[in-house]
Amino acid sequence: MDKAITENHAQSGREIYQRISNNIQKVVKGQSAAIRKLLSAFVSGGHVLLEDYPGTGKTTLAKALALSVDVSFKRIQFTPDLLPSDILGISMLDPNQRTFHFHEGPIFANIILADEINRSSPRTQSALLEAMAEFQVSIDGNLHKLKDPFFVIATQNPVESRGTYPLPEAQMDRFAVQFSLGYISPEDEVNLLGDQIHQHPIDTLQTCVNLEDLISLKQQVKQIRISDELKRYLVDIVNATRSAEGVQLGASPRASIALMKVAQALAFFDGYEFVTPEHIQEQAVSVIAHRLVMEPQARFSGRMAPGVVEEIIKSIPVPA
C-alpha cells in the first residue's frame, strides 16, 4: 500500500513537471532540450546562466517559466549605472518616527531574471554572490533570508564586449548550469511567425502550477537515489578537470554537488527511481564547462572547456 502511494505521488510530481514544460513550449518553440535543462536546475535548487546571441529567446524563456508558476517574479535590467542597493534594497529614514526602515529590493522574489548581467560593474555583480550561494543577504549588519524557492536566471550576450564586465570565476561557480538556446529550425521559426501575427503568446500564458505543487516536486526530486558507485563516477569526472591538459583552474566540489542534484532531477523527469550514468553524462558539460579556466595557450590553440569535459567523459570507465 505504501509503495502504491509513493508511486502515485511520484507520478503526480512528473505530471507537474510536464505541465510546466508544456506550458513553456506554448511560447518557446523548438527548445524542448533547453527547457529540460532549465527545469532540471530549477527543481534541484540551482541557478542558470543563459549565454546566447540576441533574439534567440533567452528573456522569453525566463519570463515563460515565471508566468507558468504562481510565485513572485522580478526582472532586473543590468546596466553600467546599476548599484548593489538597486538589487538588495535600502534603509530609509522615517522622519516622523526617527527610525530607519528597510525597503526590500527586487532580490526578494522567488524567480529573478538578471538580464544582461555582464553589463554591470563587478561591484554590482557581487551583490548576488551571497544570495545565490546561501539564499540570504546581509544589509546594514542584519541578515535577511530570501524566499523559498529562490532561483536566478541570468542572461548575457557572448558576441559583445564593449561596455561589459566578464563574470569572475566565483560568480560563474554560483551557476549550477550554463547553456545556450541556439537557433531554432526553419519550420519552428515559421510557426513562431504565425503565433505572433496578432500578439505575443506570452501575453496570454496562464499559470499552471502553484507554490505547493512546486515544493512537492522539489521534495520528490530529492528522494531519487544515487549509488555510491555513481557518486564516485561523478566525482572522478569533476576531479579529472583539475589535472586536464590546458586547464588552469578545474571545477570545484560545488560542481559535483550541482551535477548530482541535476542528475536526480533528470532521472525523476524520466520516471526513474535512481540516477543512471546517462543522466550524469547528459548534463556534465552544462554543469562543469563554465567553471573551468583555460590556460591562455590552450585558448589560442582552440582548446575549449566543453571539449575538455567531453574528452573526460569518454576516458573514464562507466560503472557496471
Side-chain angles (χ1 to χ4, degrees):
M1 181 68 178
D2 291 341
K3 183 178 179 181
I5 293 174
T6 302
E7 289 177 351
N8 291 336
H9 196 50
Q11 185 175 2
S12 110
R14 284 189 286 276
E15 181 189 347
I16 293 169
Y17 154 71
Q18 203 61 55
R19 284 209 310 266
I20 301 174
S21 179
N22 292 340
N23 209 47
I24 295 174
Q25 290 185 62
K26 293 177 182 177
V27 176
V28 183
K29 304 292 186 181
Q31 296 287 4
S32 57
I35 294 170
R36 177 177 164 92
K37 290 181 180 180
L38 177 72
L39 293 180
S40 69
F42 182 44
V43 303
S44 61
H47 307 289
V48 169
L49 177 61
L50 297 176
E51 185 177 81
D52 213 330
Y53 304 118
T56 51
K58 301 184 297 296
T59 302
T60 301
L61 176 61
K63 291 175 69 176
L65 171 62
L67 290 171
S68 298
V69 185
D70 188 18
V71 295
S72 57
F73 168 68
K74 294 290 184 182
R75 173 179 175 171
I76 308 172
Q77 187 67 48
F78 278 66
T79 56
D81 60 344
L82 191 72
L83 298 174
S85 58
D86 296 328
I87 299 173
L88 304 179
I90 191 171
S91 295
M92 299 184 65
L93 177 65
D94 185 337
N96 296 324
Q97 299 182 1
R98 296 183 180 181
T99 57
F100 283 92
H101 293 282
F102 177 65
H103 292 260
E104 295 182 348
I107 197 72
F108 291 91
N110 294 113
I111 299 178
I112 306 294
L113 170 57
D115 211 11
E116 297 191 84
I117 188 173
N118 58 333
R119 289 200 174 277
S120 286
S121 68
R123 178 190 177 195
T124 302
Q125 292 175 8
S126 65
L128 292 173
L129 289 176
E130 182 182 9
M132 293 175 65
E134 303 175 47
F135 303 98
Q136 64 184 31
V137 292
S138 302
I139 304 170
D140 296 334
N142 297 315
L143 196 63
H144 300 266
K145 293 290 184 180
L146 298 175
K147 296 181 177 181
D148 184 25
F150 175 71
F151 181 56
V152 175
I153 312 176
T155 70
Q156 63 179 8
N157 181 352
V159 296
E160 284 186 331
S161 59
R162 191 178 305 169
T164 62
Y165 304 85
L167 297 179
E169 287 74 18
Q171 185 86 56
M172 295 294 285
D173 200 36
R174 298 302 202 270
F175 289 102
V177 176
Q178 180 196 22
F179 61 91
S180 301
L181 298 179
Y183 294 115
I184 58 179
S185 68
E187 292 76 16
D188 286 324
E189 197 164 347
V190 170
N191 293 333
L192 185 69
L193 297 181
D195 290 341
Q196 298 196 27
I197 290 179
H198 302 293
Q199 63 178 350
H200 199 293
I202 204 166
D203 295 333
T204 59
L205 198 66
Q206 299 292 320
T207 298
C208 65
V209 170
N210 59 33
L211 180 59
E212 290 72 21
D213 290 335
L214 179 58
I215 292 174
S216 173
L217 175 57
K218 294 182 69 174
Q219 290 299 324
Q220 292 175 60
V221 168
K222 291 178 182 179
Q223 304 306 314
I224 298 298
R225 301 189 304 274
I226 177 169
S227 67
D228 291 339
E229 292 80 7
L230 281 187
K231 288 178 185 175
R232 184 54 193 255
Y233 173 63
L234 184 154
V235 168
D236 286 344
I237 293 174
V238 175
N239 184 63
T241 65
R242 299 163 192 165
S243 56
E245 180 185 356
V247 177
Q248 182 177 337
L249 178 66
S252 69
R254 185 181 280 143
S256 300
I257 296 171
L259 184 53
M260 179 186 70
K261 291 184 175 181
V262 166
Q264 286 178 295
L266 295 176
F268 182 81
F269 295 165
D270 292 339
Y272 286 79
E273 296 181 356
F274 50 86
V275 173
T276 68
E278 290 75 19
H279 294 126
I280 294 173
Q281 295 165 357
E282 178 182 343
Q283 282 278 52
V285 174
S286 299
V287 172
I288 299 173
H290 66 281
R291 306 171 194 268
L292 306 186
V293 178
M294 303 299 294
E295 295 177 352
Q297 301 92 323
R299 293 200 307 270
F300 294 148
S301 64
R303 187 167 170 78
M304 306 296 287
V308 171
V309 179
E310 290 172 356
E311 290 174 6
I312 290 172
I313 294 173
K314 293 177 181 178
S315 66
I316 295 181
V318 179

